[in-house]
Every structure is written in C-alpha cells, then in structure tokens.
Amino acid sequence: IYEGEKLISKIDDIERKNLSANAEENTTPIERIQNMYVKDNHLVAETYCDSVNRLLYSSITKIYIYDLTDITSPKLINTFSQSGSEISSRMIGSQLYLVTNTFINNCKNSDDCIIYTGEGEEYTPVEPTNIGCIDNAVEPNYIIISSIDIENCKRTAQTKAIFGCGSEIYCNENNMYILTYNEKGRVVVKATLSRDDIKFTEKADIGEGYVNNQFSMDEYNGYFRIATTDEKGNNILVFDDKLNKIGEIKGIAKDEE
C-alpha cells in the first residue's frame, strides 16, 4: 500500500501453500490475485488457483478480507473459499457477490460431483436443495453464487448454484442476470438478491446470437434489455420482469458486430 510514492505497508500472507491433503502428491499451486475491492476500512482480495485438495479437486476462488483501520499494518480477518474460477463479482453496499464456474470432470463416483464452499479452513458441500438445473444443459458445469458481508466478514445467504455453464453477468442492486446456454442456444437466468437470500426466479431463451460482454445487457424500470449478434445482423431484445419477451429489433447493421 502506497501513500504517494512512499510504501507504508505490505501484505505478504496471501496463501501459496500446497492445498493438497497429501503434500507429497502434488506441487504447490500458485494463487493469482484476480480482483480487489476497498470498502470503508476493509480490503477484499480475490484469488484463483488450481486446487489439488481432495475435496476442491478442480479449482478454487478464495476471498481474503483485511482490516485497514491501521493502514500501516493490515490485519487478515477472515477467508472464504468457493469451488470454481471467477466469472465475476460485485460489491453492493457491504455485500460482496461472488460468481464462479466450475467444471465437473472425470466423475468416477457421486463425491466427485460435489461443489464446496469454505470459511477459514472448514469446507462444506453445497446442499442439493440449493442447486437448480438449466434445461438441456450441454456442459457439465456449475454456476455458483455466494454473498459475503464485508463488515462482519460472514456469509449472509446460503450459496446457490445452477448446473450449466455461465459466462457474462449483469447485476444491479436487486437483480443479477447470468448468461448461459443449452442445446437450443443462449439462455438468461435471473436471480433476485437480498441480504439474506439469493433466489433463481426466471429464465429466458435469447436464441443463438453472440453476446459481446456484460455491457451488452442492462435493466431499466424493470425491463431487461440485451444486444446480440448473429448471422443476420444485430438484435436488441426486451423482456419484462418475468423475462417474457415484449419487444425486439432484429437485423441491424448486417456484417457488423
């Protein structure tokens, strides 16, 4: 941490140790910082690494929360871990919403398909009642969402997950829209957000059109809008709060994106 050009403190305890249950089995994975937030007197660092832990066998995203009350000596308060690599995250007030995607590979038994979250060094499976499924999913992936209150450094809602691959998200104070796909094309899934709950509420098929990034989506006065590109040109689709399509303009600027 610098003040002008002067170094006033340094954090060097981001874990790089071997996450394996048996340290002799594998080499040490390297954690890479992907994202950071500063909220009031708290610093949040998000890291990613390939895990060789017998539970988190694929990859893991980890949250480190630091107290910056004394800026010359930041203190680690808590850590939170989640299966998968980060799709994105959002800070809404003091709530951090973490969205990851984890690929389920080589499922030799049911235990290999379990996804986990952890606080500190304690890992627990995501309960089946908190997992939904995309119709006709084509990838053996989970999209996982957790919310963490940075002020008290605790998870405030049960982690929720959907079986199906995720890519881009759009998020505001009340709703999160996750872009995924199935055998028929791309699908948008809506999740409503509150301090104590995350609920998957609606979904909509948007066809086979390509969605450039998160800025191709937004919500205005309860209407969700998304821009796509396909072989016939570019399209704007508009949906109501139940994700019923209420309007569209198609074929704009053919041969452009």
Side-chain angles (χ1 to χ4, degrees):
I1 300 175
Y2 286 85
E3 185 176 42
E5 296 182 357
K6 180 183 178 182
L7 177 65
I8 58 175
S9 60
K10 183 179 179 181
I11 297 171
D12 58 8
D13 59 356
I14 295 290
E15 293 188 17
R16 293 176 179 270
K17 68 182 181 180
N18 198 329
L19 299 179
S20 173
N22 184 345
E24 296 179 357
E25 290 180 358
N26 297 280
T27 58
T28 302
I30 297 175
E31 289 192 61
R32 303 169 180 86
I33 295 179
Q34 290 191 305
N35 209 348
M36 292 189 293
Y37 295 91
V38 175
K39 171 65 176 175
D40 299 328
N41 287 325
H42 293 92
L43 167 68
V44 178
E46 298 177 10
T47 72
Y48 164 80
C49 72
D50 294 324
S51 175
V52 289
N53 183 290
R54 62 185 178 83
L55 296 180
L56 303 166
Y57 61 90
S58 55
S59 58
I60 178 175
T61 297
K62 196 164 186 177
I63 303 295
Y64 294 82
I65 305 173
Y66 294 87
D67 185 347
L68 299 181
T69 302
D70 181 358
I71 196 69
T72 65
S73 181
K75 291 181 173 58
L76 180 63
I77 305 171
N78 205 355
T79 61
F80 179 84
S81 304
Q82 183 166 301
S83 293
S85 57
E86 183 198 53
I87 297 175
S88 191
S89 62
R90 295 291 189 276
M91 181 76 80
I92 302 176
S94 64
Q95 295 291 122
L96 175 71
Y97 290 92
L98 176 64
V99 186
T100 61
N101 192 78
T102 187
F103 180 71
I104 303 302
N105 190 23
N106 297 326
C107 286
K108 297 178 180 178
N109 56 65
S110 59
D111 289 343
D112 293 337
C113 299
I114 297 174
I115 50 178
Y116 292 86
T117 60
E119 201 166 320
E121 297 302 319
E122 297 295 324
Y123 294 97
T124 57
V126 177
E127 294 294 331
T129 52
N130 290 324
I131 302 174
C133 184
I134 300 294
D135 294 338
N136 302 310
V138 293
E139 293 283 352
N141 288 22
Y142 288 106
I143 305 164
I144 311 166
I145 307 177
S146 293
S147 64
I148 304 146
D149 192 311
I150 302 308
E151 290 184 352
N152 62 25
C153 303
K154 298 292 184 182
R155 186 173 57 176
T156 58
Q158 290 295 318
T159 295
K160 299 294 177 68
I162 290 181
F163 186 76
C165 181
S167 53
E168 300 291 343
I169 73 166
Y170 167 78
C171 187
N172 57 30
E173 292 184 354
N174 302 308
N175 299 308
M176 180 181 292
Y177 296 87
I178 304 168
L179 185 65
T180 180
Y181 59 92
N182 61 16
E183 292 178 348
K184 297 180 180 179
R186 285 172 171 78
V187 178
V188 171
V189 177
K190 179 180 179 179
T192 58
L193 309 175
S194 67
R195 174 181 171 79
D196 299 316
D197 202 5
I198 300 167
K199 290 183 178 180
F200 294 111
T201 56
E202 316 291 345
K203 67 179 180 65
D205 297 324
I206 63 168
E208 297 182 355
Y210 170 74
V211 179
N212 189 38
N213 57 34
Q214 62 177 317
F215 302 106
S216 302
M217 301 179 280
D218 79 349
E219 184 187 87
Y220 180 73
N221 286 345
Y223 295 100
F224 175 69
R225 309 180 292 194
I226 186 168
T228 69
T229 301
D230 58 29
E231 59 184 9
K232 296 182 180 180
N234 303 277
N235 318 293
I236 297 174
L237 312 176
V238 183
F239 299 83
D240 64 15
D241 60 352
K242 302 297 184 183
L243 288 189
N244 298 307
K245 186 165 67 176
I246 60 169
E248 63 183 7
I249 302 174
K250 306 189 77 173
I252 304 170
K254 187 177 180 180
D255 300 324
E256 298 183 14
E257 294 183 350

